[in-house]
Amino acid sequence: MTTAELGLSDGKDWGWVARGMALAALLIFSSLVYADDTGTQASASTAAEGCTLGSENESFWQRVADSYKAHLHSNESPTAGTAAPAPPGTDANTGAAAPSIDAGGYRRGLSPPPESVPPWPYSTWPMGGTPAIGYENIYYGPLMDAIWCGKNGKQLKDSRFTIYGWIEPGANLSTSSSHYNLSTGTGGNYPAAYAFEPNKIQLDQLALYLERTPDEIQTDHFDWGFRFTGLYGTDYKYTFSDGILSSQYTQSGQLYGFDPVMYYLDFYFPKIGAGTNLRIGRYVSIPDIEAQLAPNNLTYSHSLLYIFDPYTQNGILSTTRFNKNWTLQLAISGGNDIRPFLAHENHLTPAMCVMWQSDSGSDALYPCMNAINDSNWRWDNIQHAVTTWYHKFNDKWHTATEVYYTWQAHTPNVNNPQGLAVIAARYPPPTFNFGAPFGAQCDPRVVYCFSYAWAAVNYVNYQYTPHDIFVWRSDFFDDANGQRTGFKTRYAEFALGYTHWIGDAIELRPEVRFDHAFNTDAYDNPGGIPGDGKRSQLMLAADLILHF
C-alpha cells in the first residue's frame, strides 16, 4: 500500500531531513572507523579489555561481522568483552545493569537491579528524565563492540561516547478495515495507536543515538553527558512537538517523518545528596511504565493510558538521590509537546516526582505531578497526576501498575457552534490541516467546559527463559468528555504479548490485542459519526527490532 493510497503526502518535503540524518551518521561513523583503524602509538592502539586477542588487526567490517555473529549466537547473558543488546532509549527505561564491557554495575550500598536486559526492556524500575543514579548507564550494541575492539578501542571506550540504534519494521492484521482519516483523526485501528493503519506492514522506527553517558556510580567528581536521538518512521506521528518539524504532519499529513525525539545535556553533581543529575533540553515526559522508543517498551503496542498522555517536554529537570530508598525530581518546562518559546502555547509548567524504593529493591512507588499550570485548553496542556507501582514477586514474575487523572479547564465545546469556531480560529489551516487538539463534548448551551479523563493499566510479566518473556496487559480508559480520543466513552483493552531474543541483538514481539468502547462505536469509524463504526476490535500484531 502506498502513501497515495492512504491519502497522504509522498514525503518529498522531508527527504532532506532523512538525507541529513544519514549524512550525519555517516560522518560520525566514518570518523570512528578512521580513528579505529589508524592507531600509531602502542598506548593508543590497544583494543578494549575483553576483546579477542588480535582483533585490532582485523578490518572494521570484519569486526562488525564477528560482533553480530557472537551476539546472534549468544545463549546466555553477555559477559565482559561482549556487547549488550543496547535496548536503550528514553531515560524512563535506563537499563542500570545493561551488560557492559565495564565490570561494574552499581554503587555499593544500593540494592541490585531487580531485572536484567535482556529479556526485559529495563533493569532498574523506570524513572524518567535521568540516568539511574548509582548504576551503570552506558549503552551500546554490536556496532560499538566492533569499534571498541579496534586499534583505538580502549581510548574510545574510556571516553564514554557511543553511537547506536535500531531498525523496527512492524505489521498488523485487524478486524477493522477503514483507512485512518487525517481530517477527523479517527478511523483505522484508532484509538489504538502506532499500528494505526489496519492490515499493513510499515517501518515504525529507524532510530539513531549519539551520546556521552556520565559516570554516576562514582561519587568523586563532576561529570557530564549529552544525547541526541533522531527517529524516522511512522511513529514520528506520536512523538513530534508543536513547532519542531511538526508541519510534516499538521500541514502535509506525511505517513513517514523525522523527529529529534531527545536532545539534552546532563550534568552530574556527586556531592548534592547521594548524587544529582541536572538535565537541560528536550527529554521524555517523566512518568510512565511505557516508552515511545521501541526497545524500551514491554510490547509492540501501547496501552490507551499511555497513548493519550504527554510525550516530551523541553525544560530543566533535576533528579536527586538521597539514599537507597528516596529520590526527588523537580522540573520546569514550557509545557507538554511544544517547542520552547512558541507563541500562545508556552506556559511555565512545573513538575515534581518522588520515588520510594524498598531496601530489597523489589518494590517501588513513583507518584508524580507531571504538569501543573493554569490548566486552560491548548496544545496537549493536560494537567497530569500519576502514580506508578512496581513489585517483583520472584525471579520469574513481576508486575507494574499505573493510574492517572488528567484535566483541562476552559475547553471549547464541540457541541456548540461558538466552541467549534474557537478551535478553528486557534488552529487554522493550512498550518493545522491535520492534528489539532480535540475539544470537549458538553452541554450544547455552553461554549467552554471542564474536561477530564482517568485511566489505569496493569502489567503482569513472566520470564520463561533468559531470552523469552510473556506480558499480560489490562487497560481501562475513561474519556469522560471525549477531549483525548474524540469519542465520549469508556474503553477497555487487553493484550497478550511475547518477546523472543535471538542472541542479544534481535527481538521478535508478536501479540494479540482486544479493544472495546462501552458507550459508542469508536473503532473503524473514519468519520467519527455514531453508528458508522464498531465498538470492538481484535488485532494481531508483531514487530522485529534489529539493534546496531
Side-chain angles (χ1 to χ4, degrees):
M1 184 177 293
T2 66
T3 55
E5 289 175 303
L6 292 173
L8 307 179
S9 164
D10 286 330
K12 294 179 181 177
D13 294 338
W14 49 256
W16 67 272
V17 178
R19 288 192 292 272
M21 183 179 176
L23 179 60
L26 180 63
L27 290 172
I28 295 170
F29 183 60
S30 299
S31 65
L32 287 172
V33 173
Y34 177 77
D36 166 85
D37 283 338
T38 56
T40 55
Q41 298 179 0
S43 61
S45 62
T46 305
E49 181 182 354
C51 294
T52 303
L53 184 65
S55 64
E56 64 271 24
N57 298 318
E58 295 180 339
S59 72
F60 172 76
W61 293 110
Q62 181 60 53
R63 292 197 307 275
V64 170
D66 291 344
S67 180
Y68 267 103
K69 183 178 179 180
H71 282 256
L72 292 173
H73 291 85
S74 172
N75 292 317
E76 57 186 28
S77 297
T79 56
T82 62
T90 73
D91 283 327
N93 296 278
T94 49
S100 167
I101 216 167
D102 296 324
Y106 59 96
R107 186 187 301 168
R108 182 176 300 171
L110 299 181
S111 57
E115 299 298 342
S116 61
V117 182
W120 301 105
Y122 46 74
S123 55
T124 57
W125 302 126
M127 172 181 281
T130 180
I133 297 172
Y135 295 81
E136 180 56 83
N137 290 281
I138 194 167
Y139 309 113
Y140 58 90
L143 172 61
M144 286 308 302
D145 211 22
I147 291 172
W148 286 341
C149 288
K151 292 181 180 178
N152 295 297
K154 186 178 186 303
Q155 180 182 7
L156 290 168
K157 177 252 187 178
D158 289 343
S159 74
R160 300 182 69 87
F161 285 90
T162 53
I163 175 172
Y164 58 86
W166 58 83
I167 301 170
E168 183 216 7
N172 76 91
L173 294 173
S174 174
T175 55
S176 293
S177 58
S178 64
H179 294 322
Y180 180 77
N181 186 333
L182 280 163
S183 297
T184 62
T186 57
N189 290 328
Y190 181 88
Y194 290 77
F196 59 91
E197 190 67 26
N199 309 309
K200 182 176 180 61
I201 300 172
Q202 62 195 30
L203 175 63
D204 290 272
Q205 296 182 9
L206 168 58
L208 177 68
Y209 281 64
L210 309 174
E211 71 180 28
R212 182 187 188 274
T213 308
D215 179 0
E216 300 196 0
I217 295 180
Q218 55 83 23
T219 58
D220 300 327
H221 59 271
F222 167 83
D223 205 354
W224 66 278
F226 73 91
R227 173 179 285 177
F228 173 82
T229 302
L231 181 146
Y232 173 79
T234 58
D235 285 0
Y236 91 102
K237 175 182 184 299
Y238 298 100
T239 66
F240 78 84
S241 289
D242 187 17
I244 303 176
L245 302 179
S246 54
S247 63
Q248 297 171 93
Y249 187 76
T250 60
Q251 291 185 25
S252 304
Q254 293 168 187
L255 177 61
Y256 288 90
F258 171 80
D259 184 42
V261 181
M262 288 177 277
Y263 45 80
Y264 57 71
L265 297 172
D266 274 340
F267 302 100
Y268 172 60
F269 302 92
K271 304 301 183 182
I272 302 179
T276 293
N277 187 84
L278 183 68
R279 177 161 295 177
I280 303 174
R282 187 186 184 195
Y283 49 85
V284 170
S285 181
I286 308 172
D288 285 324
I289 300 166
E290 301 173 46
Q292 294 96 331
L293 285 305
N296 307 106
N297 211 47
L298 285 161
T299 59
Y300 174 33
S301 73
H302 291 270
S303 66
L304 293 169
L305 171 146
Y306 181 75
I307 293 165
F308 297 103
D309 72 2
Y311 284 169
T312 64
Q313 283 126 358
N314 277 274
I316 302 173
L317 168 64
S318 71
T319 302
T320 301
R321 175 182 283 278
F322 293 103
N323 49 47
K324 69 185 299 183
N325 305 111
W326 293 98
T327 302
L328 173 68
Q329 294 184 292
L330 300 171
I332 192 78
S333 73
N336 301 324
D337 301 308
I338 53 175
R339 83 146 199 260
F341 312 112
L342 184 62
H344 309 300
E345 297 291 355
N346 267 265
H347 282 69
L348 203 61
T349 304
M352 182 177 76
C353 299
V354 176
M355 178 174 271
W356 170 85
Q357 186 166 313
S358 64
D359 287 344
S360 67
S362 296
D363 282 276
L365 194 65
Y366 189 32
C368 290
M369 188 62 233
N370 187 31
I372 186 74
N373 54 38
D374 63 8
S375 78
N376 286 338
W377 175 88
R378 50 185 172 266
W379 188 272
D380 207 21
N381 191 43
I382 56 171
Q383 316 299 286
H384 186 207
V386 53
T387 296
T388 306
W389 173 52
Y390 301 93
H391 175 70
K392 181 178 181 178
F393 295 99
N394 52 44
D395 289 341
K396 295 290 188 181
W397 293 90
H398 76 272
T399 186
T401 303
E402 182 174 342
V403 180
Y404 72 53
Y405 177 79
T406 65
W407 72 94
Q408 289 187 90
H410 210 61
T411 308
N413 180 8
V414 298
N415 292 331
N416 182 291
Q418 291 177 268
L420 285 171
V422 169
I423 298 173
R426 177 138 191 162
Y427 299 101
T431 305
F432 293 94
N433 288 324
F434 315 108
F438 289 118
Q441 299 173 32
C442 307
D443 185 335
R445 295 172 294 179
V446 300
V447 178
Y448 300 95
C449 63
F450 181 85
S451 60
Y452 70 94
W454 72 273
V457 68
N458 172 257
Y459 281 88
V460 178
N461 306 313
Y462 173 69
Q463 180 174 327
Y464 180 61
T465 76
H467 288 263
D468 299 271
I469 61 173
F470 290 91
V471 174
W472 173 257
R473 182 175 68 223
S474 304
D475 181 25
F476 179 83
F477 188 85
D478 183 3
D479 193 1
N481 303 94
Q483 196 281 318
R484 301 311 291 160
T485 68
F487 295 97
K488 186 177 180 179
T489 184
R490 293 170 292 124
Y491 300 89
E493 176 261 332
F494 303 94
L496 176 63
Y498 167 67
T499 298
H500 173 69
W501 287 80
I502 300 176
D504 51 26
I506 294 178
E507 297 177 66
L508 300 172
R509 304 192 300 178
E511 68 175 64
V512 58
R513 169 181 177 142
F514 176 76
D515 289 78
H516 180 73
F518 290 93
N519 305 107
T520 191
D521 45 353
Y523 294 91
D524 207 14
N525 191 343
I529 301 171
D532 282 5
K534 304 171 183 175
R535 292 202 176 198
S536 298
Q537 176 177 273
L538 181 66
M539 179 166 55
L540 300 175
D543 68 345
L544 180 149
I545 305 172
L546 173 63
H547 297 272
F548 61 80

